[in-house]
CSV table of all heavy atoms in Angstrom, one decimal:
chain,number,residue,atom,x,y,z
A,160,LEU,N,11.0,-75.3,27.0
A,160,LEU,CA,11.4,-76.7,27.3
A,160,LEU,C,12.8,-76.9,27.3
A,160,LEU,O,13.3,-77.6,28.3
A,160,LEU,CB,10.9,-77.5,26.0
A,160,LEU,CG,11.0,-79.0,26.1
A,160,LEU,CD1,9.8,-79.8,25.7
A,160,LEU,CD2,12.2,-79.6,25.4
A,161,LYS,N,13.7,-76.2,26.5
A,161,LYS,CA,15.1,-76.4,26.6
A,161,LYS,C,15.7,-75.7,27.8
A,161,LYS,O,16.7,-76.3,28.6
A,161,LYS,CB,15.8,-75.9,25.3
A,161,LYS,CG,15.4,-76.7,24.1
A,161,LYS,CD,16.3,-76.4,22.9
A,161,LYS,CE,15.9,-75.2,22.3
A,161,LYS,NZ,16.7,-74.9,21.2
A,174,ILE,N,16.1,-84.3,32.2
A,174,ILE,CA,17.0,-84.9,31.3
A,174,ILE,C,18.5,-84.5,31.4
A,174,ILE,O,19.4,-85.4,31.5
A,174,ILE,CB,16.5,-84.5,29.8
A,174,ILE,CG1,15.0,-85.2,29.6
A,174,ILE,CG2,17.4,-85.1,28.8
A,174,ILE,CD1,14.4,-84.8,28.3
A,193,LEU,N,25.2,-86.5,24.9
A,193,LEU,CA,24.5,-86.7,23.6
A,193,LEU,C,23.1,-87.5,23.6
A,193,LEU,O,22.2,-87.4,22.9
A,193,LEU,CB,25.5,-87.4,22.6
A,193,LEU,CG,26.6,-86.7,22.1
A,193,LEU,CD1,27.6,-87.4,21.2
A,193,LEU,CD2,26.0,-85.4,21.2
A,194,VAL,N,23.2,-88.4,24.7
A,194,VAL,CA,22.0,-89.1,24.9
A,194,VAL,C,20.8,-88.0,25.3
A,194,VAL,O,19.8,-88.2,24.8
A,194,VAL,CB,22.1,-90.1,26.1
A,194,VAL,CG1,20.8,-90.7,26.6
A,194,VAL,CG2,23.0,-91.2,25.7
A,195,SER,N,21.3,-87.1,26.2
A,195,SER,CA,20.3,-86.1,26.7
A,195,SER,C,19.8,-85.3,25.4
A,195,SER,O,18.6,-85.0,25.2
A,195,SER,CB,20.7,-85.2,27.7
A,195,SER,OG,21.7,-84.2,27.1
A,196,ALA,N,20.7,-85.1,24.4
A,196,ALA,CA,20.3,-84.3,23.2
A,196,ALA,C,19.3,-85.0,22.4
A,196,ALA,O,18.3,-84.5,21.8
A,196,ALA,CB,21.5,-84.0,22.4
A,197,VAL,N,19.4,-86.4,22.4
A,197,VAL,CA,18.5,-87.1,21.6
A,197,VAL,C,17.0,-87.0,22.3
A,197,VAL,O,16.1,-86.7,21.6
A,197,VAL,CB,18.8,-88.6,21.5
A,197,VAL,CG1,17.7,-89.6,21.1
A,197,VAL,CG2,20.1,-88.9,20.8
A,198,TYR,N,16.9,-87.0,23.5
A,198,TYR,CA,15.7,-86.9,24.2
A,198,TYR,C,15.1,-85.4,23.9
A,198,TYR,O,13.9,-85.3,23.8
A,198,TYR,CB,15.9,-87.2,25.7
A,198,TYR,CG,15.8,-88.6,26.0
A,198,TYR,CD1,17.0,-89.4,26.1
A,198,TYR,CD2,14.6,-89.3,26.2
A,198,TYR,CE1,17.0,-90.7,26.3
A,198,TYR,CE2,14.5,-90.7,26.3
A,198,TYR,CZ,15.7,-91.4,26.4
A,198,TYR,OH,15.7,-92.7,26.6
A,199,TYR,N,16.0,-84.5,24.1
A,199,TYR,CA,15.5,-83.1,23.8
A,199,TYR,C,14.9,-82.9,22.5
A,199,TYR,O,13.9,-82.3,22.2
A,199,TYR,CB,16.5,-82.0,24.2
A,199,TYR,CG,16.7,-81.7,25.5
A,199,TYR,CD1,18.0,-82.0,26.2
A,199,TYR,CD2,15.6,-81.2,26.3
A,199,TYR,CE1,18.1,-81.7,27.5
A,199,TYR,CE2,15.8,-80.8,27.6
A,199,TYR,CZ,17.1,-81.1,28.3
A,199,TYR,OH,17.1,-80.9,29.6
A,200,LEU,N,15.7,-83.5,21.4
A,200,LEU,CA,15.3,-83.5,20.1
A,200,LEU,C,13.8,-84.1,19.9
A,200,LEU,O,13.1,-83.4,19.1
A,200,LEU,CB,16.2,-84.1,19.1
A,200,LEU,CG,17.5,-83.3,18.7
A,200,LEU,CD1,18.4,-84.2,17.9
A,200,LEU,CD2,17.0,-82.2,17.7
A,201,ILE,N,13.7,-85.2,20.5
A,201,ILE,CA,12.4,-85.9,20.3
A,201,ILE,C,11.3,-85.0,21.1
A,201,ILE,O,10.2,-84.8,20.3
A,201,ILE,CB,12.4,-87.3,21.0
A,201,ILE,CG1,13.4,-88.3,20.3
A,201,ILE,CG2,11.0,-87.9,21.1
A,201,ILE,CD1,13.6,-89.4,21.0
A,202,LEU,N,11.5,-84.5,22.1
A,202,LEU,CA,10.5,-83.6,22.9
A,202,LEU,C,10.1,-82.3,22.0
A,202,LEU,O,9.0,-82.1,21.9
A,202,LEU,CB,10.9,-83.2,24.3
A,202,LEU,CG,10.9,-84.5,25.3
A,202,LEU,CD1,11.3,-83.9,26.7
A,202,LEU,CD2,9.5,-85.2,25.3
A,203,VAL,N,11.2,-81.7,21.5
A,203,VAL,CA,11.0,-80.6,20.8
A,203,VAL,C,10.1,-80.8,19.5
A,203,VAL,O,9.2,-80.1,19.0
A,203,VAL,CB,12.3,-79.8,20.4
A,203,VAL,CG1,12.1,-78.8,19.4
A,203,VAL,CG2,13.0,-79.3,21.7
A,204,PHE,N,10.6,-82.0,18.9
A,204,PHE,CA,10.0,-82.5,17.7
A,204,PHE,C,8.4,-82.7,18.0
A,204,PHE,O,7.6,-82.2,17.2
A,204,PHE,CB,10.4,-83.7,17.1
A,204,PHE,CG,9.8,-84.3,15.9
A,204,PHE,CD1,9.8,-83.6,14.8
A,204,PHE,CD2,9.2,-85.6,16.0
A,204,PHE,CE1,9.2,-84.0,13.6
A,204,PHE,CE2,8.4,-86.0,14.9
A,204,PHE,CZ,8.5,-85.3,13.7
A,205,LEU,N,8.0,-83.3,19.1
A,205,LEU,CA,6.7,-83.6,19.4
A,205,LEU,C,6.0,-82.4,19.7
A,205,LEU,O,4.8,-82.1,19.2
A,205,LEU,CB,6.6,-84.6,20.7
A,205,LEU,CG,7.1,-86.1,20.5
A,205,LEU,CD1,7.0,-86.7,21.7
A,205,LEU,CD2,6.3,-86.6,19.4
A,206,LEU,N,6.6,-81.4,20.4
A,206,LEU,CA,6.1,-80.1,20.7
A,206,LEU,C,5.7,-79.3,19.5
A,206,LEU,O,4.6,-78.7,19.3
A,206,LEU,CB,7.0,-79.3,21.5
A,206,LEU,CG,6.4,-78.0,22.1
A,206,LEU,CD1,5.2,-78.2,23.0
A,206,LEU,CD2,7.5,-77.3,23.0
A,207,THR,N,6.6,-79.4,18.5
A,207,THR,CA,6.4,-78.8,17.1
A,207,THR,C,5.2,-79.3,16.5
A,207,THR,O,4.4,-78.5,16.0
A,207,THR,CB,7.6,-79.0,16.3
A,207,THR,OG1,8.8,-78.7,17.0
A,207,THR,CG2,7.6,-78.0,15.2
Side-chain angles (χ1 to χ4, degrees):
Chain A
L160 186 136
K161 293 192 289 185
I174 296 174
L193 288 174
V194 169
S195 79
V197 170
Y198 281 91
Y199 279 116
L200 276 172
I201 293 169
L202 289 186
V203 168
F204 177 66
L205 292 177
L206 188 55
T207 313

